[in-house]
């Protein structure tokens, strides 16, 4: 019923999904660091391919990721377009040369460097998106909590994250129930019949009972947890802990290699070529 | 042998919540001994849940207030207690089976207690497996909470509590959200824990007959914050206290009462399978052979409310609901029963237009609803969901009742008169300016009904209308709905697990199984159909057991008693 919901609650069957929680988190962090430190299209290209490979290895259902993918793609295309509108020379300034291809108006010359620069930016954002996506599809909330705890995050933080994700389906169900019941009483949320402003105002009506039922639920969970000794010790163990296997160690090595690559890149940029963090590699320059 | 020490001991205990003027518990004196199984019985608002909180330490640690006297649990006085220290002696199972399910799988939830104690993994796995075995969930360790029934979740919580080795298990209205079959399984589990694992069991409930599915050692009757009596089930059942405090007697006793009042020395009064029936034999037989006095109403006279033709509905290409031919008349009182997931709610949602069939037609009041919006259908059919908090959106009582009219753009004067009328009918008029938060659960339930009645619907669908209410309130509400139905020729469709409700308040029972309607007859005959009962997990009421023991037809006896 909830198969269009992106968070998994049961560990999947593909090898990335079967890794232990800490490995997945480490691999994600390494990938994000590598993507964040660089504007070098050669490194970003490799990172993008690695993450795309990881994502495809999970054989994601298109309808599960469709909504979020379109959202990210459109938001970032919009973002890049706005960036161009605000400063049409952003790429030329960053790269330090200007090859005008054509001009939209006298204020908006389109340069090869700007096109290149904006494409690199897009590649960077999409790489991060693909990395987050395989991670979300690979991890269950319990593994996330257990993995973070293993990486020395305080367990109360871990619990809040997993409980939050645990209650999402319940909240979605409540939302549907409340919405249906209000519609039966005459609430009109159809785009064709009600204006946007009114629809927003009416949506607030759904949110109030939803908020209250969620608060009540939080209260009950907190009591139930305390009655079962939650918080009595500074440390806790995790039932779903799975010991690291050879596959885990292989992926941990990949993560370390990526971090090394990021480190090496930073070292070269900062101390050898002195290009700085915003340095954009451009072919032929 | 020295006298046994009580494991829970209330000593002249009085408690007042910080936010309240009057004490909620007054001069409680009560001893519970190790290995006992005790039922704390009382109507809503009697203070029985407060009593539970003083046992597990939520009072005064979480819910603040003033107390005098003491509640000693396992040698520890209330003043010294913390929630943690009490949890080592008392394992608590709360009412809401979903919210207290903390883990993301059965195994994790059972393990939660052990995780918090930083138990090493191998030991934890072993203990979880043991507990899962006891509660009969051994093969469900990897299941998600979303795929479990309320009864299964409740059992998992009991399993989690077992890990603590606490000698006492305390259950606060554990049966509230369970259907009769799950409720019996729960009571059987508690009985095993009491007998085999030597746990002291304290059950807080208002559902006497469900708890008495198995023997309890003593019953503590609580009302208005005081203990009325501490007695055995047999003695309680032949006293007149139950009626006085609005708790329903088991049905077979209602039946026997009609023949002769049981005397105080009668043994095994609590158990319909063991009670001595010698002096009742002839009386029961006579009752069962009485001709049914209700005149058959000619249903064909009534107009159709809805007809369904050749309907097919599927979720994600999985065929589910299939109804070839069904007609419901105006003014009919119908119960819709069946297992969890059989398709009852889907069926109701199809009628309301929330879901739409892929094939087939639904005609309501002569019009096909295919082209009608949910809002238009909602004018004719009101759907009251189980939890009133998920229906109530406005701040005050009269605004809430007016909402459906305001949303539909009725004129001011019309709104005013209809709201006034609906509030008067539902007996909420004196509270019309109250904030909604100040209402009790039962009043909120009435409010949701009032907010539907303003539209003057031709039918009301009520989803588990009696859930969360004690007998007195449930009876008040159902009597009132009944009256409405008769006065306005309104159809009432009740979705329920409670066959008693079906017998008392409906004339026609539709049994849903696997998306189809497999039986359509009156509730008495439905319950007499053994094959149907085995297939759908319905539970016969105790009248049918009584009839079987005496050797008369169950439906005849049930009909005779219901008059």
């Amino acid at each position: 019923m909830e198969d269009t919901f992106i968070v998994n609650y049961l560990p999947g069957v593909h090898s990335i999904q079967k890794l232990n929680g800490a490995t997945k988190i480490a691999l994600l962090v390494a990938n994000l660091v590598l993507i964040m430190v660089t504007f070098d299209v050669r490194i970003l290209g490799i990172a993008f391919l690695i993450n795309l490979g990881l994502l495809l290895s999970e054989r994601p259902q298109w309808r599960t990721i469709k909504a979020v993918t379109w959202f990210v793609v459109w938001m970032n295309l919009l973002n890049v377009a706005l960036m161009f509108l605000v400063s049409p020379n952003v790429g030329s300034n960053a790269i330090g040369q200007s090859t005008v291809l054509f001009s939209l108006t006298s204020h908006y010359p389109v340069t090869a460097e700007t096109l290149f620069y904006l494409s690199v930016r897009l590649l960077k954002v999409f790489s991060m998106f693909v990395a987050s996506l395989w991670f979300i599809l690979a991890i269950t909330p319990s593994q996330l909590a257990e993995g973070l705890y293993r990486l020395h995050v305080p367990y109360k933080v871990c619990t809040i994250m997993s409980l939050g994700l645990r209650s999402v389906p319940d909240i979605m169900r409540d939302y549907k129930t409340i919405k249906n019941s209000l519609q039966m009483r005459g609430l009109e949320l159809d785009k064709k019949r009600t204006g946007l402003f009114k629809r927003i105002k009416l949506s607030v009506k759904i949110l109030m009972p939803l908020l209250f039922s969620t608060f009540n639920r939080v209260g009950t969970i907190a009591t139930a947890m305390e009655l079962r000794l939650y918080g009595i010790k500074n440390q806790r163990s995790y039932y779903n802990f799975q010991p690291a296997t050879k596959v885990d160690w292989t992926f941990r090595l990949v993560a370390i290699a990526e971090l090394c690559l990021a480190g090496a890149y930073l070292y070269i940029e900062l101390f050898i070529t002195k290009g700085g963090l915003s340095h954009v590699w451009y072919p032929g320059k | 042998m020295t006298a046994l020490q009580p494991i829970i001991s209330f000593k002249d205990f009085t408690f007042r919540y910080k936010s309240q003027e009057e004490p909620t518990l007054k001069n409680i004196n009560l001893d519970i001994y190790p290995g006992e199984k005790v039922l704390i019985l009382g109507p809503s608002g009697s203070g029985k849940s407060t009593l539970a909180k003083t046992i597990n330490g939520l009072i005064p640690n979480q819910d603040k207030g003033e107390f005098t006297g003491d509640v000693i649990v396992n040698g520890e006085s209330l003043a010294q207690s913390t929630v943690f220290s009490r949890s080592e002696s008392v394992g608590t199972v709360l009412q809401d089976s979903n919210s207290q399910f903390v883990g993301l799988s059965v195994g994790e939830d059972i393990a939660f207690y052990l995780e918090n104690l930083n138990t090493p993994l191998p030991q934890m796995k072993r203990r979880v497996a043991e507990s899962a075995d006891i509660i009969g969930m051994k093969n469900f360790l990897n299941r998600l909470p979303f795929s479990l029934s309320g009864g299964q979740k409740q059992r998992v919580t009991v399993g989690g509590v077992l890990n603590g080795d606490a000698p006492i298990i305390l259950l606060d209205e554990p049966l509230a959200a369970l259907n009769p079959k799950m409720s019996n399984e729960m009571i059987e589990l508690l009985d095993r824990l009491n007998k085999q694992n030597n746990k002291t069991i304290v059950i807080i409930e208002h559902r006497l007959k469900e708890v008495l599915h198995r023997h309890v050692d003593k019953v503590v009757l609580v009302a208005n914050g005081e203990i009325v009596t501490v007695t055995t089930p047999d003695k309680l059942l032949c006293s007149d206290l139950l009626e006085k405090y609005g708790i329903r007697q088991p049905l077979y006793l209602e039946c026997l009462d009609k023949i002769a009042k049981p005397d105080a020395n009668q043994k095994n009064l609590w158990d319909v399978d063991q009670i001595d029936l010698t002096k009742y034999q002839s009386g029961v037989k006579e009752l069962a052979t009485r001709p049914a006095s209700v005149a058959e109403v000619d249903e064909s006279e009534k107009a159709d409310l809805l007809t369904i033709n050749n309907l097919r509905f599927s979720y994600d290409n999985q065929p589910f609901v299939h109804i070839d031919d069904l007609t419901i008349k105006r003014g009919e009182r119908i119960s819709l029963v069946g297992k969890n997931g059989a398709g009852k709610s889907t069926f109701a949602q199809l009628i309301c237009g929330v879901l739409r069939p892929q094939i087939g037609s639904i005609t309501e009041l002569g019009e096909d609803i295919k082209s009608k919006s949910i809002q238009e259908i909602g004018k004719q059919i009101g759907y009251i969901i189980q939890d009133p908090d998920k229906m109530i959106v406005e701040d005050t009582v009269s605004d809430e009742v007016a909402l459906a009219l305001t949303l539909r753009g009725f004129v001011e004067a019309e709104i005013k008169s209809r709201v006034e009328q609906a509030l008067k009918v539902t007996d909420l008029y004196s509270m019309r300016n109250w904030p909604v938060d100040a209402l009790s659960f039962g009043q909120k339930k009435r409010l949701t009904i009032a907010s539907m009645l303003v539209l003057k619907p031709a039918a009301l669908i009520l989803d588990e209308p009696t859930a969360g209410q004690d007998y007195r309130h449930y009876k008040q509400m159902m009597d009132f709905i009944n009256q409405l139905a008769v006065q306005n020729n309104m159809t009432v469709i009740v979705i329920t697990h409670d066959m008693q409700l079906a017998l008392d308040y409906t004339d026609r029972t539709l049994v849903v199984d696997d998306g189809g309607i497999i039986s359509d007859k009156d509730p008495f005959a439905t319950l007499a159909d053994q094959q149907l009962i085995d297939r759908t997990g319905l539970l016969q009421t105790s009248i049918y057991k009584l009839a079987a023991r005496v050797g008369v037809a169950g439906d005849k006896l049930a009909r005779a008693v219901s008059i």
Side-chain angles (χ1 to χ4, degrees):
Chain A
M1 202 159 72
E2 264 118 17
D3 58 350
T4 50
F5 185 50
I6 198 161
V7 176
N8 287 314
Y9 290 93
L10 280 177
V13 294
H14 304 294
S15 50
I16 297 294
Q17 294 169 321
K18 284 198 282 191
L19 295 176
N20 102 354
T23 311
K24 287 175 202 166
I25 295 170
L27 191 59
L28 173 74
V29 170
N31 274 303
L32 289 182
V33 167
L34 181 64
I35 295 165
M36 270 187 279
V37 295
T38 181
F39 266 99
D40 189 322
V41 75
R42 296 164 298 183
I43 296 177
L44 283 176
I46 294 169
F48 182 77
L49 289 178
I50 291 176
N51 284 297
L52 189 65
L54 289 174
L55 177 63
L56 292 179
S57 80
E58 293 170 344
R59 306 192 190 287
Q61 296 274 323
W62 172 240
R63 67 169 174 177
T64 315
I65 58 173
K66 188 169 100 180
V68 63
T69 306
W70 282 128
F71 178 77
V72 169
V73 167
W74 284 115
M75 282 311 285
N76 285 291
L77 286 176
L78 184 70
N79 184 14
V80 163
L82 284 176
M83 200 180 259
F84 174 73
L85 283 182
V86 172
S87 59
N89 288 315
V90 58
S92 309
N93 295 343
I95 291 164
Q97 67 181 41
S98 184
T99 318
V100 179
L101 297 176
F102 57 93
S103 290
L104 293 176
T105 67
S106 56
H107 290 291
Y108 286 105
V110 178
T111 66
E113 288 79 9
T114 298
L115 283 183
F116 181 80
Y117 176 80
L118 293 177
S119 311
V120 172
R121 270 200 101 89
L122 275 181
L123 182 64
K124 189 164 164 147
V125 175
F126 290 151
S127 303
M128 281 199 256
F129 169 65
V130 171
S132 314
L133 199 55
W134 71 249
F135 179 75
I136 293 169
L137 292 176
I139 203 155
T140 67
S142 319
Q143 282 177 336
L144 180 64
E146 183 265 324
L148 287 173
Y149 179 71
R150 204 70 42 198
L151 297 168
H152 301 287
V153 174
Y155 73 74
K156 298 219 164 166
V157 177
C158 306
T159 311
I160 289 170
M161 294 190 74
S162 74
L163 272 182
L165 291 167
R166 142 88 175 89
S167 39
V168 170
D170 287 335
I171 294 173
M172 295 202 317
R173 200 168 312 139
D174 283 358
Y175 173 80
K176 240 188 195 162
T177 312
I178 296 168
K179 190 182 84 177
N180 286 339
S181 133
L182 270 171
Q183 281 182 316
M184 283 181 242
R185 287 164 75 183
L187 180 77
E188 190 69 76
L189 289 174
D190 195 325
K191 276 180 217 163
K192 281 174 244 152
R193 300 185 208 192
T194 317
L196 179 70
F197 182 67
K198 196 160 178 216
R199 259 188 294 146
I200 293 171
K201 224 174 88 185
L202 290 173
S203 303
V204 175
K205 285 211 188 303
I206 304 179
L207 288 182
M208 289 318 284
L210 188 65
L211 274 179
F212 284 117
S213 73
T214 309
F215 284 147
N216 281 339
R217 179 172 291 135
V218 170
T220 316
I221 292 184
T223 305
M225 284 167 58
E226 201 180 349
L227 285 170
R228 282 149 80 187
L229 303 188
Y230 181 75
I232 196 170
K233 292 202 168 186
N234 291 328
Q235 269 152 8
R236 81 195 292 271
S237 46
Y238 279 86
Y239 175 77
N240 70 342
F241 172 70
Q242 52 182 86
T245 62
K246 270 188 191 153
V247 188
D248 278 299
W249 284 111
T250 315
F251 277 100
R252 286 179 193 186
L253 284 177
V254 173
I256 291 170
E258 286 184 312
L259 284 177
C260 290
L261 179 59
Y265 175 82
L266 271 185
Y267 181 78
I268 293 169
E269 286 295 319
L270 290 178
F271 299 109
I272 298 181
T273 63
K274 306 220 160 121
L277 280 182
S278 54
H279 174 234
V280 183
W281 177 83
Y282 190 69
K285 180 168 182 279
Chain B
M1 208 179 106
T2 50
L4 202 56
Q5 285 289 316
I7 194 163
I8 300 174
S9 182
F10 284 80
K11 295 204 184 299
D12 210 22
F13 183 77
T14 297
F15 175 78
R16 182 178 64 82
Y17 282 104
K18 213 173 166 184
S19 56
Q20 276 170 12
E21 307 241 315
E22 293 294 312
T24 303
L25 293 176
K26 286 167 268 184
N27 309 314
I28 304 285
N29 280 293
L30 174 67
D31 284 333
I32 294 172
Y33 292 91
E36 271 191 315
K37 191 169 165 207
V38 178
L39 166 64
I40 297 180
L41 182 72
S44 305
S46 59
K48 58 187 193 308
S49 289
T50 308
L51 208 64
K53 287 183 180 175
T54 60
I55 298 177
N56 62 25
L58 288 177
I59 286 175
N61 291 298
Q62 208 181 73
D63 295 354
K64 305 285 181 202
E66 269 173 29
F67 66 91
T68 57
D70 202 355
V71 185
I72 302 167
V73 175
N74 218 2
E76 185 192 57
S77 136
L78 188 61
Q80 272 119 50
S81 75
T82 63
V83 175
F84 289 155
S85 72
R86 282 279 160 115
S87 294
E88 283 168 22
S89 306
V90 186
T92 309
V93 178
L94 303 170
Q95 182 181 339
D96 183 342
S97 64
N98 193 35
S99 292
Q100 69 183 315
F101 200 106
V102 183
L104 265 165
S105 69
V106 169
E108 267 178 54
D109 195 67
I110 296 178
F112 191 72
Y113 189 99
L114 300 169
E115 288 181 330
N116 292 329
L117 286 170
N118 202 15
T119 314
L121 193 62
Q123 195 187 336
M124 180 149 66
K125 293 258 176 194
R126 204 181 61 238
R127 301 266 310 262
V128 168
E130 282 166 16
S131 299
D133 198 20
I134 294 176
I135 57 165
M137 297 289 288
K138 202 168 58 173
N139 300 324
F140 292 83
L141 281 179
N142 291 323
R143 288 279 286 275
L144 301 179
F146 320 115
S147 68
L148 300 176
S149 70
Q152 287 172 324
K153 282 186 224 175
Q154 201 71 286
R155 290 220 301 273
V156 171
T157 308
V158 175
V161 157
L162 288 178
N163 285 320
D165 285 331
I168 305 163
I169 298 182
L170 171 73
L171 305 103
D172 188 4
E173 302 207 16
L175 310 179
L178 306 190
N179 68 34
K181 194 161 196 181
M182 293 182 209
S183 147
N184 280 354
E185 284 167 2
M186 187 71 189
I187 293 297
E188 285 160 23
L189 170 63
L190 295 177
D191 200 49
R192 282 204 304 280
L193 292 176
N194 180 243
K195 293 211 173 89
Q196 294 166 13
N197 304 54
N198 212 18
K199 302 279 184 193
T200 306
I201 309 271
V202 181
I203 307 170
I204 316 269
E205 258 300 344
H206 57 78
R207 297 166 178 238
L208 178 62
K209 75 168 201 276
E210 281 90 345
V211 176
L212 288 183
H213 177 59
R214 287 287 181 272
H215 185 255
V216 298
D217 297 308
K218 64 185 178 203
V219 183
V220 181
L221 180 62
V222 185
N224 305 318
E226 288 174 299
I227 291 182
V228 177
T229 179
V230 180
T231 182
T232 63
D234 282 349
K235 289 211 176 98
L236 181 70
L237 288 171
C238 62
S239 72
D240 53 5
L241 289 172
L242 291 180
E243 205 186 331
K244 188 171 167 196
Y245 292 103
I247 290 160
R248 185 163 206 181
Q249 243 194 344
L251 272 175
Y252 64 94
L253 285 177
E254 276 179 16
C255 173
L256 296 184
D257 267 354
K258 290 194 180 200
I259 298 160
K261 190 104 183 120
D263 65 80
N265 300 319
Q266 180 111 30
K267 289 265 185 300
N268 291 325
L269 209 54
W270 64 275
D271 185 356
V272 65
D273 292 323
Q274 286 185 51
I275 181 173
D276 182 10
L277 292 174
T278 357
K279 67 174 181 176
Y280 298 107
Q281 289 280 353
S282 58
V284 172
K285 279 183 183 148
E286 194 267 323
L287 257 182
T289 46
R290 259 185 221 175
S293 59
V294 209
E296 288 291 317
V297 188
D298 188 4
E299 296 288 338
S300 58
E301 293 288 302
K302 293 182 178 171
D304 287 354
L305 172 82
L306 73 88
T307 52
I308 292 179
N309 269 311
N310 193 28
L311 177 145
R312 297 287 181 277
F313 172 79
S314 46
Y315 283 114
D316 298 330
N317 299 321
Q318 296 279 348
F320 188 38
V321 172
H322 48 96
I323 298 168
D324 290 331
D325 181 25
L326 179 75
T327 303
I328 293 176
K329 306 259 180 201
R330 295 202 63 166
E332 270 194 299
R333 303 185 304 164
I334 291 178
S335 43
L336 198 61
V337 303
K339 284 186 210 149
N340 282 341
K344 303 187 294 283
S345 305
T346 309
F347 173 65
Q349 288 181 318
L350 284 164
I351 298 178
C352 294
V354 172
L355 299 172
R356 303 289 179 158
Q358 281 87 5
I359 303 175
S361 70
I362 305 175
T363 309
E364 289 173 9
L365 298 166
E367 285 180 80
D368 193 327
I369 64 166
K370 189 172 265 168
S371 54
K372 287 189 168 189
S373 65
I374 302 184
Q375 291 80 1
E376 284 167 313
I377 299 168
K379 254 188 238 173
Q380 307 296 350
I381 297 188
Y383 189 13
I384 315 271
I385 56 181
Q386 198 173 330
D387 181 358
D389 286 330
K390 294 199 182 113
M391 281 185 76
I392 297 173
V393 293
E394 296 287 347
D395 297 331
T396 69
V397 170
S398 56
D399 282 353
E400 178 66 27
V401 179
L403 179 71
L405 301 173
T406 325
L407 285 172
R408 289 165 196 276
F410 277 71
V411 294
E412 199 68 33
E414 177 76 9
I415 293 180
K416 205 163 168 255
S417 81
R418 282 206 192 189
V419 168
E420 204 161 287
Q421 198 197 353
L423 284 170
K424 279 181 180 156
V425 178
T426 48
D427 208 11
L428 287 169
Y429 189 69
S430 58
M431 306 171 196
R432 63 192 177 281
N433 295 321
W434 284 24
V436 168
D437 299 331
L439 301 185
S440 72
F441 186 87
Q443 288 164 339
K444 281 185 184 169
K445 202 90 198 186
R446 286 219 302 275
L447 175 59
T448 59
I449 295 170
S451 65
M452 287 293 166
L453 288 180
V454 284
L455 290 168
K456 301 185 175 163
L460 270 189
I461 302 177
L462 300 123
D463 196 350
E464 292 290 351
T466 57
Q469 301 197 71
D470 64 12
Y471 179 60
R472 182 173 284 170
H473 291 104
Y474 137 17
K475 191 165 165 11
Q476 268 172 9
M477 193 181 96
M478 289 312 298
D479 285 344
F480 149 75
I481 289 173
N482 216 6
Q483 198 189 340
L484 277 179
V486 175
Q487 283 167 359
N488 306 320
N489 196 25
M490 190 171 72
T491 307
V492 175
I493 301 175
V494 181
I495 304 175
T496 186
H497 286 294
D498 184 351
M499 283 313 292
Q500 193 50 51
L501 176 73
L503 291 176
D504 288 347
Y505 292 101
T506 67
D507 314 304
R508 179 179 173 195
T509 300
L510 302 177
V511 183
V512 182
D513 195 48
D514 251 341
I517 291 173
I518 58 167
S519 161
D520 178 0
K521 44 193 170 198
D522 78 68
F524 298 104
T526 307
L527 271 192
D529 185 339
Q530 193 60 46
Q531 246 186 331
L532 189 66
I533 287 192
D534 292 342
R535 175 169 167 193
T536 54
L538 295 174
L539 268 194
Q540 285 181 331
T541 65
S542 57
I543 292 280
Y544 287 77
K545 283 190 183 172
L546 180 68
R549 282 191 61 195
V550 178
V552 295
D555 53 330
K556 286 201 172 138
L557 186 61
R559 252 184 252 267
V561 174
S562 77
I563 296 164

